[in-house]
Amino acid sequence: MTGHGGRRTQAERDAITVETGYALLSAAFAAALVLGAVAGPAWLFELPDAVEVSLFRAGLVLATALFAVRTVAVLVRFRRAAQPSQPGRTSPDS
């Protein structure tokens, strides 16, 4: 977090913890929605076995991929936002 190679402050560590929690929870929520949308019909309706298995597998694959992509996207966005645009400057007025 710090550009000068020093230790992170408590506020920076707290921000990382909160952002990681947000990334994981929002990714889990999005993955659950996708799994429910794709595999939901297999749970609600009487479908042929091959269709049910296909929907479950497709839902699991999509949910897993979405979880990974969402988590990485949130954490990368946080890392980029934490870096100052002009190293050495502490505020826009300086």
Side-chain angles (χ1 to χ4, degrees):
M1 299 267 58
T2 57
H4 52 79
R7 298 184 71 181
R8 290 185 173 112
T9 65
Q10 184 64 42
E12 289 172 329
R13 290 192 306 261
D14 290 346
I16 292 168
T17 301
V18 168
E19 197 66 22
T20 301
Y22 170 73
L24 294 173
L25 287 175
S26 67
F29 181 74
L33 285 178
V34 166
L35 179 62
V38 174
W43 290 322
L44 295 175
F45 305 112
E46 189 67 33
L47 300 173
D49 288 339
V51 173
E52 282 188 10
V53 169
S54 296
L55 287 174
F56 284 134
R57 287 183 181 164
L60 286 174
V61 168
L62 288 173
T64 302
L66 178 64
F67 181 85
V69 168
R70 174 70 181 162
T71 302
V72 169
V74 169
L75 294 177
V76 166
R77 185 178 58 214
F78 172 71
R79 184 171 182 209
R80 285 189 185 148
Q83 296 176 355
S85 60
Q86 296 177 337
R89 294 187 69 171
T90 56
S91 70
D93 297 333
S94 58

